[in-house]
């Protein structure tokens, strides 16, 4: 289903290749596996974009994943441009701000390498997207995303099924935006906890009071619901002020898959 | 003897029902202090308009505990407010309630939830089925929720069923800036208000909200139009306002004596022609024969 999605939704708009930002983590590994199956490995480019603080282990993992799916890996370090920008700005950048800048730099490279006939394959999973745990127009951006409706827990299972190396499946998820960062430590809860709550909240439409009555912790339920609420802007296109009789996004609505005769 | 009415042109917070409830309570007190016997809030004043999938989270029965503070505040002053109603058979409606003497006294469910252009009500809400007249402090009254009023059969049915007052509560988005002097929607609404008031010889109380939701601006401009077609009061555009107006409950009767359009209305002809088109509901055939 996901392979057919990638194949059909790209070919009908004339895209013939896939570009995947390969971090060395499990999400992008699954996206790469699906892209390789959909486009054929020779039409897929994996891009690894390390900053000087990135761990060498990530590059090794990215290499192992690219090799596993027979895809070319291109390493494009972002240290030079990020550091040049830091000098240019000339002020201390908060680590989250710097992380956002790096995520957008990476995405800009992926879109560049996709030109003119490639699609940037999204790697954000459902958990991250719902929690808003990602950079808007950074790692959350893509041409299309085959894994965005799969929770992190489900992605790990799919990774095993696709033959992603065991080491990659098992390592603690990290955005590697600063040294030693892990997602679960930063979030303050595990993906397993979040996925279960999100599944009942979103997929099964239980209201917070019903979740708490079912035995989930009130604090965690409240916290996760707030994360979903606060980050909703990241999941929709920017607002356009409606003034005219017909407005893009409001009542000028066409399918994205608007095909020629 | 006139009855003082307050129109609460407000900007509800989208999806934040507790906050909106507090806003209602404050506004009710202000209306009470202004000597009003009735305060009317716009469509979905307790929830905000473009609620999308929040509709299910916000829906409740008209006598739900969540709304108890509102019912409690409706003593010595009656209240019309907009909420999302979950009916006993679990349908979700856009509704406006009339609270009086500490309890819910009437509920109108939006009969025409629009689903076109910038509107997507039909995706989230069930349709109401009735236009019932009820006694308010202003006299026999009917409620039309936004799109309801654009269907001319709505005020018509209320008028022929005996209403002297139409409460037209709305969440009307302002649009059509480039098309003429004023907002296209504002001109349309004012035309409706005046036309219905004058030709159905009834009060039209247009209650619109202000504020923004997802890029859509609600334009306000609430107004009270008397049965003779004169504008008794009009609120500002795009700003919150508590509009106060005097309603003369006998004005409709006086106007109807002078202008007996409703007396002369041929319901039988209307019904016969409608029946020719859609057939007659069971039980009505004998009435016509």
């Amino acid at each position: 289903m996901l392979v057919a999605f990638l194949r059909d939704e790209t070919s009908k708009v004339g895209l013939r290749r896939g570009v995947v930002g390969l971090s060395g983590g499990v999400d992008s590994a699954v996206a790469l596996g699906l892209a390789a199956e959909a486009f054929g490995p020779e039409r897929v480019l994996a891009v690894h974009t390390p900053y000087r603080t990135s761990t060498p282990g990530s590059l090794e993992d990215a290499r192992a994943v690219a090799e596993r799916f027979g895809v070319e890996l291109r390493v494009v370090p972002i240290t030079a441009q990020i550091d040049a920008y830091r000098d240019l700005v000339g002020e201390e950048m908060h680590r989250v701000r710097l992380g956002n800048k790096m995520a957008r730099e990476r995405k800009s490279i992926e879109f560049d390498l996709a030109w003119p006939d490639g699609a940037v394959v999204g790697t954000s999973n459902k958990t991250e997207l719902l929690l808003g745990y990602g950079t808007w127009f950074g790692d959350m951006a893509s041409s299309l995303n085959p894994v965005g409706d799969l929770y992190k827990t489900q992605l790990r299972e799919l990774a095993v099924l696709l033959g992603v190396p065991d080491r990659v499946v098992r390592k603690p998820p990290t955005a590697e935006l600063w040294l030693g960062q892990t997602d679960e430590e930063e979030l303050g809860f595990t993906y397993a906890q979040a996925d279960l709550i999100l599944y009942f909240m979103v997929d099964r439409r239980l209201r917070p009071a019903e979740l708490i009555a079912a035995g989930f912790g009130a604090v965690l339920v409240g916290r996760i619901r707030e994360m979903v609420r606060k980050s909703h802007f990241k999941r929709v296109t920017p607002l356009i002020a409606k003034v005219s009789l017909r407005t893009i996004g409001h009542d000028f609505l066409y399918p994205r898959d608007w095909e020629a005769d | 003897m006139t009855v003082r009415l307050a129109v609460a042109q407000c900007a509800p917070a989208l999806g934040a029902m507790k906050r909106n409830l507090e806003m209602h309570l404050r506004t009710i007190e202000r209306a009470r202090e202004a000597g009003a016997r009735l305060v009317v809030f716009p469509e979905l004043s307790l929830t905000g308009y473009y609620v999308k999938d929040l509709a299910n989270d916000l829906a409740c029965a008209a006598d739900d505990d969540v709304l108890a503070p509102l019912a409690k505040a409706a003593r010595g002053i009656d209240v019309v407010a907009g909420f999302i109603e979950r009916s006993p058979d679990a349908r979700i409606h856009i509704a406006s309630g009339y609270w009086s003497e500490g309890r819910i006294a009437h509920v109108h469910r939006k009969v025409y939830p629009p689903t076109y252009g910038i509107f997507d009500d039909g995706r989230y809400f069930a349709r109401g089925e009735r236009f019932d007249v009820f006694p308010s402090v202003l006299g026999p009254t009917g409620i039309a929720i936004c799109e309801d009023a654009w269907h001319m059969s709505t005020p018509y049915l209320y008028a022929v069923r005996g209403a002297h007052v139409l409460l037209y509560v709305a969440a009307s988005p302002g649009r059509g800036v480039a098309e003429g002097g004023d907002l296209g929607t504002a001109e349309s609404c004012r035309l409706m208000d005046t036309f219905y008031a004058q030709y159905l010889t009834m009060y039209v109380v247009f209650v619109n909200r202000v504020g923004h939701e997802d890029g859509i601006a609600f334009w306000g401009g609430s107004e009270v139009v008397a049965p003779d077609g004169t504008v008794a009061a009009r609120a500002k555009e795009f700003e919150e306002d508590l509009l106060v107006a005097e309603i003369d409950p006998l004005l409709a009767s006086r106007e109807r004596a002078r202008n007996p359009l409703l007396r002369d209305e041929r319901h039988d002809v209307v019904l016969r022609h409608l029946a020719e088109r859609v057939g007659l509901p069971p039980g009505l055939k004998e009435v016509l024969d």
Side-chain angles (χ1 to χ4, degrees):
Chain A
M1 200 169 156
L2 300 178
V3 168
F5 160 83
L6 282 177
R7 211 175 267 155
D8 205 31
E9 293 288 7
T10 50
S11 66
K12 69 166 119 187
V13 290
L15 300 175
R16 304 158 56 246
R17 295 184 303 124
V19 173
V20 183
L22 193 63
S23 65
V26 69
D27 300 342
S28 57
V30 169
L32 188 74
L34 294 170
E37 182 69 27
F39 301 107
E42 69 289 350
R43 287 180 181 275
V44 177
L45 177 66
V47 191
H48 186 71
T49 47
Y51 183 63
R52 58 182 154 80
T53 55
S54 306
T55 59
S58 297
L59 174 59
E60 282 167 40
D61 288 341
R63 255 192 231 295
V65 171
E67 225 163 82
R68 164 68 186 83
F69 294 117
V71 169
E72 180 198 343
L73 177 72
R74 191 159 164 185
V75 180
V76 184
I78 58 168
T79 306
Q81 59 268 52
I82 292 293
D83 285 351
Y85 181 73
R86 289 175 85 163
D87 288 344
L88 200 69
V89 170
E91 62 198 25
E92 194 53 42
M93 285 175 79
H94 186 277
R95 62 186 191 175
V96 172
R97 177 179 166 195
L98 186 63
N100 283 337
K101 175 69 183 145
M102 286 194 274
R104 293 187 181 116
E105 183 60 35
R106 293 186 162 114
K107 199 54 72 172
S108 128
I109 290 167
E110 290 165 33
F111 272 101
D112 173 62
L113 294 176
W115 190 86
D117 60 346
V120 174
V121 178
T123 60
S124 293
N125 62 56
K126 191 170 184 173
T127 315
E128 287 175 350
L129 288 172
L130 284 172
L131 297 176
Y133 190 61
T135 298
W136 200 27
F137 299 117
D139 53 297
M140 289 178 97
S142 66
S143 309
L144 77 176
N145 179 348
V147 297
D149 201 21
L150 297 174
Y151 290 108
K152 185 81 179 183
T153 318
Q154 295 173 305
L155 261 176
R156 286 203 188 105
E157 290 171 14
L158 182 57
V160 173
L161 215 68
L162 289 173
V164 171
D166 203 42
R167 191 176 68 223
V168 174
V169 179
R170 284 174 186 282
K171 73 179 179 183
T174 169
E176 277 213 321
L177 295 181
W178 54 87
L179 261 175
Q181 179 197 22
T182 71
D183 294 0
E184 293 182 340
E185 199 173 307
E186 199 193 356
L187 288 166
F189 48 78
T190 67
Y191 276 110
Q193 287 174 304
D195 286 355
L196 208 58
I197 289 175
L198 286 170
Y199 170 75
F200 284 110
M201 188 185 285
V202 175
D203 297 54
R204 310 300 302 196
R205 296 176 192 252
L206 264 67
R207 294 193 266 186
E210 294 170 306
L211 285 166
I212 294 163
F216 290 104
V219 175
L220 189 57
V221 167
R223 176 129 189 265
I224 284 179
R225 165 129 177 139
E226 270 307 278
M227 287 184 78
V228 173
R229 186 186 67 76
K230 280 186 183 157
S231 64
H232 194 67
F233 74 94
K234 294 186 181 182
R235 293 183 291 271
V236 295
T237 46
L239 292 180
I240 292 179
K242 179 165 180 69
V243 291
S244 77
L245 285 178
R246 207 156 173 224
T247 310
I248 299 160
H250 291 290
D251 46 10
F252 177 81
L253 303 169
Y254 287 88
R256 168 157 155 173
D257 287 359
W258 187 0
E259 295 194 62
D261 253 341
Chain B
M1 255 265 296
T2 59
V3 179
R4 190 168 292 173
L5 159 78
V7 169
Q9 180 168 295
C10 54
L14 187 56
M17 203 159 159
K18 276 185 207 151
R19 224 200 300 165
N20 290 329
L21 197 56
E22 283 161 19
M23 177 268 284
H24 278 63
L25 299 181
R26 285 195 303 273
T27 309
I28 291 168
E29 286 321 304
R30 281 177 57 208
R32 193 196 304 274
E33 284 160 20
R37 296 276 313 282
L38 170 66
V39 54
V40 186
F41 290 86
E43 178 182 18
L44 291 184
S45 56
L46 286 159
T47 61
Y49 178 64
Y50 282 109
V51 293
K52 298 191 170 181
D53 276 352
L54 282 170
N56 185 49
D57 296 9
L58 300 167
C60 64
D63 58 357
D64 193 287
D65 285 348
V66 174
L67 300 175
L70 192 74
K72 206 175 143 200
R75 286 194 180 277
I77 182 170
D78 291 356
V79 177
V80 171
F83 68 110
I84 298 174
E85 188 200 13
R86 192 190 306 277
S87 70
D89 60 350
R91 289 173 202 234
I92 297 176
H93 292 278
I94 293 177
S96 272
Y98 184 87
W99 280 266
S100 180
E101 301 306 319
R103 60 176 201 88
I104 183 84
H106 178 77
V107 175
H108 172 68
R109 296 168 174 166
K110 194 176 191 176
V111 172
Y112 293 106
T115 308
Y116 62 88
I118 51 172
F119 303 110
D120 210 7
D121 283 6
R123 181 182 166 93
Y124 305 99
F125 299 105
R127 293 184 301 183
E129 301 288 342
R130 300 194 58 84
F131 292 110
D132 287 325
V133 176
F134 67 99
S136 80
V137 289
L138 308 179
T141 299
I143 298 175
I145 304 179
C146 211
E147 187 84 354
D148 285 346
W150 290 69
H151 289 259
M152 61 178 107
S153 52
T154 303
Y156 172 83
L157 284 170
Y158 277 134
V160 300
R161 298 198 66 193
H164 287 197
V165 178
L166 177 73
L167 299 180
Y168 165 18
V169 296
S172 170
R175 53 204 191 280
V177 168
E179 301 303 309
D182 204 345
L183 282 171
T185 27
E187 289 178 358
S188 299
C189 287
R190 284 190 197 122
L191 179 64
M192 280 195 295
D193 297 344
T194 307
F195 178 81
Y196 292 149
Q198 190 170 345
Y199 290 88
L200 296 169
T201 46
M202 66 199 303
Y203 272 101
V204 174
V205 180
F206 171 61
V207 184
N208 191 20
R209 58 163 291 179
V210 291
H212 285 84
E213 287 180 6
D214 282 5
I216 302 276
F218 301 97
W219 63 276
S222 303
E223 63 179 0
V224 178
V225 185
D228 57 5
T230 56
V231 177
R234 183 178 283 165
K236 291 173 249 180
E237 290 192 7
F238 296 106
E239 286 176 43
E240 292 191 284
D241 204 353
L242 187 68
L243 182 71
V244 174
E246 298 294 331
I247 300 288
D248 178 353
L250 299 178
L251 184 57
S253 302
R254 287 203 297 277
E255 199 55 31
R256 285 172 194 189
R258 186 181 71 80
N259 180 10
L261 288 169
L262 278 175
R263 181 197 69 190
D264 298 343
E265 181 67 14
R266 292 289 305 276
H267 309 139
D268 55 334
V269 176
V270 174
L271 193 52
R272 198 161 281 122
H273 285 309
L274 286 178
E276 281 168 16
R277 182 167 158 73
V278 295
L280 270 183
L284 275 187
K285 193 170 182 311
E286 301 71 23
V287 180
L288 277 191
D289 281 345

